[in-house]
Amino acid sequence: MKTLLFALLLLLGTLPAMAQRYVADAKQSKLTWTGYGEIGNYAPSGTLQLQQAIFEVSNGQISRGRIEIDMRTIQHDDNKMQTHLRGDDFFDTEKFPAATFVLQQLKGNLASGLLTIKGVTKPVSFPILVTTDGDALRIKGKATIDRTVFGIKYNSSSFFSGLGDYAIKNTFDLAFDVVTRPLAKKQQL
């Protein structure tokens, strides 16, 4: 009987620990975008809303994750620009209401995964900082994204000549501060 109990304890000790799942608190999370003109200091910025995000933590590190951004919420102080960003020249939010990032690997502080914008999926990597606050996980970072690989070529000097000061850099920054809370064990990614 003792041998059976010892074998059972040994087996349980070698099984991987159950992963803890975390879901984002959309109201406490913040997403900010910044675009850049090719000439001068033009750098419009605004916000986006997190649609949902879920992460899995195993052995004290994020092992999986999926983030969905509601692209219909792209905001800018200038209503005309906001409408333009939501239109088909940029993010075409009527046809593509969400952008997603699926984490494939977190090595040190470098997150790598697949980003989907406008139905196009490309690999991206960017640094993040993960901290804890009680039972919450906070994930902060900034990704620099080349919009042109997702088919967003509007006023890109890589595709159009003679744009002058209307040229827009191919890259934009997406800064994020995502606050998460633990989920019940039953919920899945």
Side-chain angles (χ1 to χ4, degrees):
M1 184 66 157
K2 287 182 181 179
T3 306
L4 179 61
L5 183 59
F6 179 73
L8 182 60
L9 288 174
L10 184 61
L11 176 63
L12 289 175
T14 61
L15 291 176
M18 291 295 293
Q20 174 65 52
R21 292 176 181 86
Y22 290 80
V23 66
D25 181 335
K27 290 183 180 182
Q28 286 192 348
S29 298
K30 185 176 180 180
L31 304 173
T32 306
W33 62 268
T34 304
Y36 302 95
E38 285 281 343
I39 300 171
N41 295 325
Y42 184 64
S45 66
T47 60
L48 286 156
Q49 295 296 312
L50 193 61
Q51 190 166 318
Q52 66 180 2
I54 189 165
F55 299 92
E56 195 170 272
V57 175
S58 299
N59 300 319
Q61 180 158 336
I62 296 173
S63 56
R64 295 184 350 164
R66 179 180 174 87
I67 298 171
E68 293 181 20
I69 300 170
D70 186 346
M71 296 304 293
R72 299 168 298 188
T73 66
I74 194 165
Q75 183 276 330
H76 186 271
D77 290 339
D78 179 335
N79 285 334
K80 187 176 178 182
M81 178 180 243
Q82 179 174 288
T83 300
H84 194 201
L85 289 170
R86 292 178 183 181
D88 60 4
D89 279 339
F90 281 94
F91 296 102
D92 198 359
T93 62
E94 189 172 311
K95 189 173 179 184
F96 303 100
T100 60
F101 173 72
V102 177
L103 178 69
Q104 293 182 308
Q105 180 180 10
L106 180 59
K107 192 170 189 176
N109 70 339
L110 187 66
S112 300
L114 297 175
L115 178 63
T116 302
I117 298 175
K118 290 184 74 171
V120 177
T121 303
K122 297 290 182 182
V124 295
S125 295
F126 48 88
I128 65 170
L129 175 65
V130 180
T131 58
T132 58
D133 183 13
D135 67 347
L137 273 182
R138 182 171 227 144
I139 304 161
K140 289 182 173 184
K142 182 171 76 170
T144 299
I145 300 164
D146 183 346
R147 64 188 172 93
T148 63
V149 300
F150 298 97
I152 305 168
K153 300 175 182 175
Y154 183 82
N155 281 13
S156 166
S157 59
S158 298
F159 298 92
F160 305 101
S161 61
L163 294 170
D165 59 358
Y166 290 102
I168 302 169
K169 284 189 180 182
N170 291 347
T171 59
F172 68 94
D173 291 332
L174 180 63
F176 52 90
D177 182 357
V178 178
V179 178
T180 69
R181 305 269 180 231
L183 282 176
K185 297 274 186 198
K186 295 177 187 176
Q187 293 174 299
Q188 300 291 319
L189 276 178

